[in-house]
């Protein structure tokens, strides 16, 4: 349960950072960068808020691997409500999600300071860069934590001999 909660919480710091930027809080970008002049209500700010909400919803799905709604579909779902969640479906979905997250976050970490990302002249420097890094670093744990919860789910739901 704690690992699933930790997995869900890994998206919160980066989401809060994006929402702050979407509301116009200066986050250290300058020049022609889209993040330099974000104004609330613009398409870009709405995109950042939607991305944050979407990421948190995905993070919360890890809780399904330790809750009843991860074993039986909620009754309000048409056609499948009340039926047992097939173990293969949950394990495959969560396993592929975990693998995708690990690939994306590790790739992002290796390219964090590339010339077209945080190494660009208009990217945050100093304290702003540190705050951004601290907010995005927990995402590196999301994939591995989800993998642990997925394995625990598979073991718990395996057929008993």
């Amino acid at each position: 349960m704690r690992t699933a909660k930790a997995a869900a919480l890994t998206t919160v710091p980066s989401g809060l950072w994006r929402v702050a930027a979407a509301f116009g809080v200066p986050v250290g970008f300058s020049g022609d960068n889209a993040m330099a002049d974000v104004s609330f209500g613009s398409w870009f700010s709405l995109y950042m808020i939607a991305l944050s909400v979407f990421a948190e919803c995905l993070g919360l799905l890890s809780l399904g691997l330790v809750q009843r709604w991860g074993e039986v579909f909620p009754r309000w779902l048409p056609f499948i409500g009340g039926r047992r969640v097939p173990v293969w479906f949950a394990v495959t979905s969560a396993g592929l999600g975990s693998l995708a997250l690990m690939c994306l976050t590790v790739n992002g970490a290796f390219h964090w300071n590339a010339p077209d990302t945080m190494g660009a002249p208009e990217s945050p420097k100093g304290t702003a860069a540190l705050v951004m890094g601290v907010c995005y670093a927990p995402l590196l744990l999301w994939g591995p934590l989800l993998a642990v919860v997925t394995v625990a789910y598979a073991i718990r739901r395996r057929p008993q001999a």
Side-chain angles (χ1 to χ4, degrees):
M1 180 68 87
R2 280 183 259 173
T3 306
K5 287 179 181 178
L9 289 173
T10 59
T11 61
V12 173
S14 60
L16 291 175
W17 184 90
R18 280 191 302 274
V19 169
F23 276 93
V25 173
V27 291
F29 285 91
S30 61
D32 292 334
N33 191 298
M35 294 289 293
D37 236 354
V38 178
S39 58
F40 181 69
S42 68
W43 284 109
F44 190 63
S45 73
L46 297 176
Y47 162 75
M48 289 193 306
I49 292 169
L51 177 62
S52 299
V53 169
F54 180 68
E56 190 55 38
C57 288
L58 288 178
L60 290 172
L61 283 176
S62 64
L63 296 176
L65 297 170
V66 296
Q67 300 286 334
R68 177 167 161 60
W69 55 271
E71 296 180 11
V72 178
F73 287 112
R75 291 217 173 270
W76 55 267
L77 288 173
F79 307 113
I80 59 172
R83 294 185 183 181
R84 290 185 60 79
V85 174
V87 176
W88 68 265
F89 175 75
V91 170
T92 302
S93 300
L96 289 173
S98 173
L99 182 62
L101 286 168
M102 286 188 269
C103 290
L104 287 169
T105 57
V106 168
N107 183 50
F110 279 122
H111 294 96
W112 185 259
N113 286 317
D116 58 339
T117 56
M118 292 300 287
E122 61 271 354
S123 295
K125 306 291 182 245
T127 303
L130 179 65
V131 169
M132 185 178 178
V134 166
C135 288
Y136 274 84
L139 291 177
L140 288 166
L141 298 174
W142 188 8
L145 290 171
L146 180 57
V148 169
V149 177
T150 303
V151 169
Y153 178 90
I155 290 170
R156 188 171 44 84
R157 295 271 326 264
R158 74 174 177 245
Q160 301 299 319

